[in-house]
Amino acid sequence: MQRSRSDIDDRYQWDLTTIYETPADFDREYQRADTLVDAISDELDTPPEGSATLVTLLERFECLTAARTRLECYAECSRTIDLTDDAARDRQDRTRSLAGEVDGLTSDVRRYCRRHANRLADLRTESDALAPFERFLENAVDGPAADPSLRSLLETFGDVLDGHDRTLTAICDEDFEPPIVEGSDGDPVAVRWHNRVQLLKDPDRDFRRRVYEAFHDALDERANAIATAWTEKLRTRARVAEARGFDSIREMGLSKASYPKTGIHLSGPSAVHDTLLETVSENLEPYHRLQRRRRIHLAVDEFRPWDRHVSLTSRAEPTISYEDACEYVLAAVEPLGVEYRTRLEALLEERRVDVYPAADSRDVTYCLSASGVGPFVSLSYDGSVRALFHFAHELGHAMETDLRADVRRPLYETTPRPVEEVPSLVHELLLADHLLDNGDDALTAHVLNRRLDAIGGNLFGAAQSARFTHEAAMVVERGDSLTRERLDGINRELHSEFRPVEEPAEYTPSAWLARAHVREPYHNYQYVLGAAGAVSVYEALVDSRLSVEDYRTFLQFGGTKSSMEQFAHLGVDVTAPTPYERAATWVDRDVDSIEGNRSDAAP
C-alpha cells in the first residue's frame, strides 16, 4: 500500500511555487499566452518593414515559447502528483490545447521567415539587431516547405491529432489497474509500470513468472485498444509528415522540435539512423553473450522472459537511502569540477526533485524544464540500485538545463533530440566508476550489473525498439494494414534476432505492448546515440582528449548548434560505425569482468 502524499516530508516534494505562486498565477499567464498567439498571428500578415519590427515580432514569439514551457511544466507536474485532482486535469487539458495553437503558430512563423527570406537577408546585413536571432532565422529558412493548410490543420484539429496520446495515456497509465500477485513472503504485491522491472529482479523465479504473466495479462486485455490507438497515431503522423513537406514519418521524427519546444528543429540525418541500426544489428554477439551468462548464472535449461532482468550477482541488493543517493551522485560528478558539483548540490536543496511515489500519483521518472525557472525531476525512488542510477540519469538532464540557462536566451534554451541522452548517460557512467572504486562489495557487484543495463539496454534494447517502430511505420506508409497480429509478427522476428537465447513465452510476440507508445515515434534512436555518445565522451574525459571545459561548453550549446555540430565538438562521429562498436565492446568487457569474478557468490 503506497503512502499518502501528506505523509511525505515537504523536503522530498516539489516546490511548484517557484513556477507559479498560486494556480491563479498560472491562469493569468495562460490568458496572456492565449492572447499573444492571436496578436503574433495578426502580425504575420504584413512583411517585415525593418529590423526593429522583426526583432519585436521575434521577441514576442520568444516570450510565448518561454511561457509555454512554464505552463506545460506546471500542468504536468501538478497532474503527476495527484491524478484525482480535477483542477490539475483541467490545467493539463487547457495547456495541451494551447500547445496545439502554439505549434500551429510556430509553423506559421517559420513559414513567414521562408517566405520573406530575401528581405530577412537584407535586414540581417543592414543591422546587428537581429544577431541574437541569427540561428533561429537560419533554422527556419532551411526547414522543409510545409503545406499552407498546415496551420489550419494544426489549429483546428491539433487537439484531435493528439487524441491518440491521451487514449494511450489513459489505457496504459491513468486507468491501468495494477494487477496483484502473491509475493515470495505470501503478501500481496501490486505490479505497476514503474516497479515491474525491479520486481523482475527478485531471486524467486516463480514470483518473477507471476509478475510477468500478471502484467502482460493486464496489457493483453487492452491489446486491441493499444494497437488501434498506436496504429492510428502512426497514420496521423504520416499525414502530418506529408503536409509538412517530409518524405516519411522517420524524416519528420528525426527533425522534430528540440526539447523544450522553442520553434527550433535540429534534426538528425536519416543516414545516422540507418548506420546505428545496421551497426548494432551487426554487433549483437555481446548482447547474446550477456543472455547466455544470465542463463548459466541461473542454472536453468530454458532462459525465459521473466529471467532477463535478474542480477548476475548472488549478493543481496542493498537498500540505498535517498540521502546516501545524493552523496553518491555528488561525489561521482566531482571529475566535472567543483562548480559543477556545487550547482548540482544547489538544485537538490531547492526541492527540484519529487522523490517518492505516493497514492494517486503517477509512478514516472522524468525531468522537465521551465524557462526562467529551471528543471524539475520526478523520481519515484524506491532505494534500489536501479533507482539510484535513474536519479543520476535525470540529474544529468537537470544539470544541462541549469547550465544552459546561464548563457542562452529563452529561444535557445532547448536541446537537439539526438544529443539529449548523452549528459544523462555520462552521469550514469561517472556514478558507476565512483561506486566501483569506492563502494562496498555488495554494492559494487550490483553496480556492474547496472552498467550493463545502462549501456546494453540503451544500445541493444533501444535499437530493437527503434527497429520495431521503423518497420511498423514503413507498413503504414506503404498503405498496408497494421493490425495487432502484424505488430506481433514484427516483434516476433526481432525477438529471434536480438534475444535468441531467450525461450519465447505466450506473451513474447506482444511484448511491444509494454513500450512507451505515448511518446513520439522515432524516439528510441536517441538512447542508442546516448549510449554510444556517452561511452565515447567518458573515455575522452578519462584520457584527457576532451577537457572538462569543452564538455561544459557542449552542455551550454542548447539550440545554437546542430546535433551533428555538437557531436563533432565532442569528437564523436556518429555517422561512422565506431561509436556503436565501442559501446558494444563495453558490454563484452563487463561480461568478461563478471565471468572472471565469481567471488561475488553469497557468503
Side-chain angles (χ1 to χ4, degrees), residues 230 234 238 248-250 273-274 277 466-482 486 490 522:
W230 195 60
L234 288 177
S248 64
I249 302 173
R250 179 172 78 166
H273 192 261
D274 287 333
L277 291 185
R467 281 268 303 277
F468 176 83
T469 297
H470 189 42
E471 293 185 23
M474 288 192 293
V475 170
V476 168
E477 289 168 337
R478 289 196 300 266
D480 294 341
S481 176
L482 189 62
R486 188 76 172 266
I490 294 172
Y522 291 96

Side-chain angles (χ1 to χ4, degrees), residues 21-281:
E21 188 68 32
T22 67
D25 294 317
F26 169 93
D27 292 337
R28 280 188 284 272
E29 176 140 81
Y30 179 93
Q31 188 57 51
R32 288 194 298 269
D34 194 38
T35 301
L36 199 51
V37 170
D38 293 333
I40 294 172
S41 182
D42 290 342
E43 293 180 37
L44 299 180
D45 294 332
T46 306
E49 296 179 2
S51 58
T53 304
L54 185 57
V55 166
T56 299
L57 170 66
L58 294 173
E59 286 178 341
R60 285 159 67 84
F61 177 71
E62 183 175 52
C63 286
L64 175 62
T65 60
R68 173 193 182 156
T69 67
R70 292 188 291 272
L71 292 166
E72 287 185 322
C73 185
Y74 187 84
E76 186 65 30
C77 290
S78 300
R79 182 72 175 141
T80 292
I81 62 179
D82 190 353
L83 294 172
T84 67
D85 186 343
D86 290 337
R89 179 191 287 271
D90 176 66
R91 280 193 294 271
Q92 188 178 56
D93 289 343
R94 289 162 57 204
T95 302
R96 285 173 173 170
S97 178
L98 176 66
E101 294 182 24
V102 176
D103 284 342
L105 178 65
T106 299
S107 295
D108 276 357
V109 170
R110 291 173 63 85
R111 187 164 54 251
Y112 177 86
C113 293
R114 286 193 295 274
R115 186 167 62 246
H116 301 293
N118 292 335
R119 176 59 176 154
L120 263 59
D122 292 339
L123 293 176
R124 287 153 69 184
T125 58
E126 293 172 6
S127 170
D128 293 335
L130 287 168
F133 301 99
E134 188 78 19
R135 184 63 176 177
F136 175 82
L137 293 172
E138 289 176 354
N139 185 255
V141 170
D142 291 341
D147 188 313
S149 65
L150 179 61
R151 168 59 194 267
S152 175
L153 175 70
L154 289 175
E155 189 170 275
T156 306
F157 299 107
D159 205 37
V160 176
L161 293 174
D162 289 334
H164 309 306
D165 287 341
R166 289 193 296 278
T167 299
L168 288 165
T169 298
I171 294 171
C172 300
D173 188 355
E174 296 173 1
D175 296 337
F176 183 79
E177 285 293 331
I180 306 297
V181 301
E182 182 182 344
S184 300
D185 57 3
D187 291 338
V189 176
V191 184
R192 306 175 187 276
W193 281 88
H194 191 268
N195 74 346
R196 65 188 175 90
V197 172
Q198 189 61 28
L199 295 177
L200 288 169
K201 293 177 179 287
D202 194 282
D204 184 338
R205 196 181 194 208
D206 287 337
F207 171 66
R208 295 199 306 271
R209 179 182 53 77
R210 291 195 296 273
V211 168
Y212 173 87
E213 291 179 347
F215 183 76
H216 284 277
D217 276 343
L219 281 183
D220 194 62
E221 293 174 1
R222 300 160 173 79
N224 289 330
I226 295 173
T228 299
W230 195 60
T231 298
E232 288 305 313
K233 178 174 180 172
L234 288 177
R235 287 175 178 158
T236 300
R237 295 302 185 269
R239 297 187 188 103
V240 172
E242 182 179 3
R244 291 184 58 192
F246 291 103
D247 292 334
S248 64
I249 302 173
R250 179 172 78 166
E251 187 183 7
M252 183 176 73
L254 299 184
S255 183
K256 64 186 175 185
S258 52
Y259 177 80
K261 288 185 175 181
T262 65
I264 290 179
H265 293 251
L266 297 167
S267 62
S270 295
V272 169
H273 192 261
D274 287 333
T275 297
L276 70 87
L277 291 185
E278 291 169 6
T279 306
V280 172
S281 295

Side-chain angles (χ1 to χ4, degrees), residues 384-406:
S384 65
V385 172
R386 182 170 180 263
L388 167 62
F389 276 80
H390 283 177
F391 183 37
H393 183 105
E394 298 306 331
L395 290 179
H397 291 307
M399 281 299 293
E400 182 193 16
T401 296
D402 192 56
L403 292 170
R404 185 180 62 212
D406 282 351

